[in-house]
Amino acid sequence: MNRRKFIRLMAGAGTTLALGGIGGALAFDHHLSTPNSALQTLRFESLKEAWLELEKLEKAFLLNPSKIELLGEWSLHQNLIHCAQSVEYSLVGYPKHKPAFIKKTVGKWVFEKFAAQNFMKHDRNEPIPAAAPLEKEGDLNKAFERLRKALTDFENHQGKYEPHFIYGQLDRAAYEKAHAFHLADHFSGLRYL
């Protein structure tokens, strides 16, 4: 991270964060949405809410895949696999981490900011560092299945969770919030009726 980006990050609300996978503007206005639309931001406080939205998205896909619009550069397949990777890595370990001093300072601050505002905004086109490449096209049924499996595995997990690549060590409650916020932001980048 260069000095300019670090200074903008520390300046407060409306700053830009470029930490690979956590980049993006920290936003403070929000709207709840049903159905999801381009001008609204979803907010999930729990994975239960994320599950419900995932079911709505999958139902929209099964009814008419051409009605799903994408706001970012990534395809629906890339979004689903990326979200699954994030949950999976919390159980098996992230492939690459930011330096410890970043996790203890900026990473901690970013997570606390997201937790305080109860949602996150980040660069939805930024892959997890060193994660397996995201194929633009693929079997969407399998992508939905992979995300459902990752969420189920997380819910059934017993024991310690692996440190997040930027937030550091999180307990179950914190990881649930992190995943819920992450899924809400990615689902906010999709428009479906």
Side-chain angles (χ1 to χ4, degrees):
M1 169 174 37
N2 68 33
R3 183 175 171 223
R4 180 182 297 172
K5 288 180 183 173
F6 183 78
I7 290 169
R8 282 195 313 228
L9 169 69
M10 300 314 281
T15 60
T16 299
L17 185 68
L19 295 172
I22 294 299
L26 295 178
F28 293 95
D29 18 40
H30 50 81
H31 306 282
L32 298 176
S33 72
T34 305
N36 190 5
S37 78
L39 301 176
Q40 298 171 327
T41 300
L42 294 170
R43 294 178 63 191
F44 305 149
E45 294 185 26
S46 70
L47 285 181
K48 181 178 181 182
E49 293 173 80
W51 269 108
L52 293 173
E53 195 66 32
L54 178 60
E55 289 171 5
K56 284 171 49 178
L57 173 59
E58 190 165 13
K59 182 178 178 182
F61 165 72
L62 292 172
L63 289 173
N64 192 346
S66 65
K67 291 283 187 182
I68 298 174
E69 297 176 33
L70 306 165
L71 302 181
E73 299 168 14
W74 281 1
S75 67
L76 178 57
H77 185 263
Q78 287 170 305
N79 275 282
L80 292 170
I81 297 300
H82 169 77
C83 289
Q85 285 177 334
S86 181
V87 177
E88 291 163 354
Y89 289 146
S90 68
L91 303 178
V92 300
Y94 285 82
K96 184 176 179 184
H97 288 259
K98 294 294 179 184
F101 79 94
I102 293 289
K103 289 198 277 190
K104 290 179 182 176
T105 57
V106 177
K108 181 179 177 188
W109 179 83
V110 169
F111 182 75
E112 287 173 357
K113 178 65 88 178
F114 291 156
Q117 67 189 23
N118 224 18
F119 72 102
M120 73 178 288
K121 296 294 272 177
H122 75 302
D123 181 353
R124 292 189 294 248
N125 300 303
E126 183 74 33
I128 296 167
L134 300 169
E135 299 293 329
K136 190 158 187 78
E137 302 302 326
D139 186 327
L140 285 169
N141 290 309
K142 287 183 180 178
F144 277 108
E145 183 181 326
R146 180 170 172 182
L147 180 52
R148 285 194 312 269
K149 181 181 183 320
L151 291 169
T152 300
D153 289 349
F154 180 87
E155 289 177 346
N156 294 333
H157 184 72
Q158 301 294 317
K160 192 175 178 181
Y161 294 87
E162 295 294 323
H164 190 274
F165 75 95
I166 184 69
Y167 302 149
Q169 191 65 55
L170 299 176
D171 64 14
R172 183 184 180 92
Y175 246 132
E176 180 170 348
K177 280 197 174 291
H179 290 320
F181 296 165
H182 187 238
L183 287 163
D185 196 34
H186 275 276
F187 290 169
S188 294
L190 308 170
R191 183 175 178 176
Y192 45 97
L193 302 176

